[in-house]
Amino acid sequence: MNTEKEPLGRAEAEEYASWFKALADGTRIQIVSLLARQREPMSVGEIVTAVGIGQSTISHHLKILSEVRFVLVERQGTSSLYRINEECVSCFPTAADVVMGNPVPAMPTCQ
């Protein structure tokens, strides 16, 4: 267990770093914001239209966001729908608090 004066454990630090890296791009922030506000699954085409960036770029960003579980993918036949992972995204403010030295809560489990 970490105390105030000890750094985060390596596994925790790596997990939080992957979250920060995933959000270190303006387009990915736009996608997360869009999906969080939409509150229902969206196709790549709908996201492309809303964000105004090409399909291949959006697909690339969605892959990164899904790898850290901020975005969940629902396959429907040959297409995919994307939605925000409410459980995982709700952990993110906790990550920022922990990195900034606030009390360490139980490690979030983002499925």
Side-chain angles (χ1 to χ4, degrees):
M1 181 171 194
N2 289 330
T3 65
E4 285 180 30
K5 296 181 181 183
E6 294 178 4
L8 285 174
R10 190 66 184 174
E12 288 173 307
E14 290 295 333
E15 179 74 10
Y16 293 136
S18 72
W19 295 359
F20 287 117
K21 285 178 195 173
L23 293 176
D25 182 275
T27 300
R28 290 194 289 271
I29 295 286
Q30 285 183 298
I31 293 168
V32 167
S33 174
L34 173 66
L35 293 173
R37 293 166 193 226
Q38 189 70 22
R39 300 282 187 214
E40 60 185 54
M42 296 179 74
S43 69
V44 172
E46 292 170 320
I47 297 169
V48 164
T49 300
V51 177
I53 294 178
Q55 184 271 325
S56 63
T57 301
I58 293 294
S59 293
H60 170 74
H61 289 305
L62 286 167
K63 180 178 185 271
I64 291 168
L65 291 169
S66 67
E67 287 172 352
V68 294
R69 301 172 308 279
F70 281 152
V71 171
L72 300 175
V73 185
E74 299 172 16
R75 308 275 182 222
Q76 290 190 343
T78 59
S79 62
S80 298
L81 295 177
Y82 296 85
R83 67 180 172 88
I84 201 74
N85 181 349
E86 298 286 347
E87 182 180 326
C88 193
V89 172
S90 69
C91 298
F92 191 74
T94 302
D97 289 338
V98 169
V99 170
M100 293 304 180
N102 293 328
V104 179
M107 182 66 179
T109 53
C110 298
Q111 302 300 323

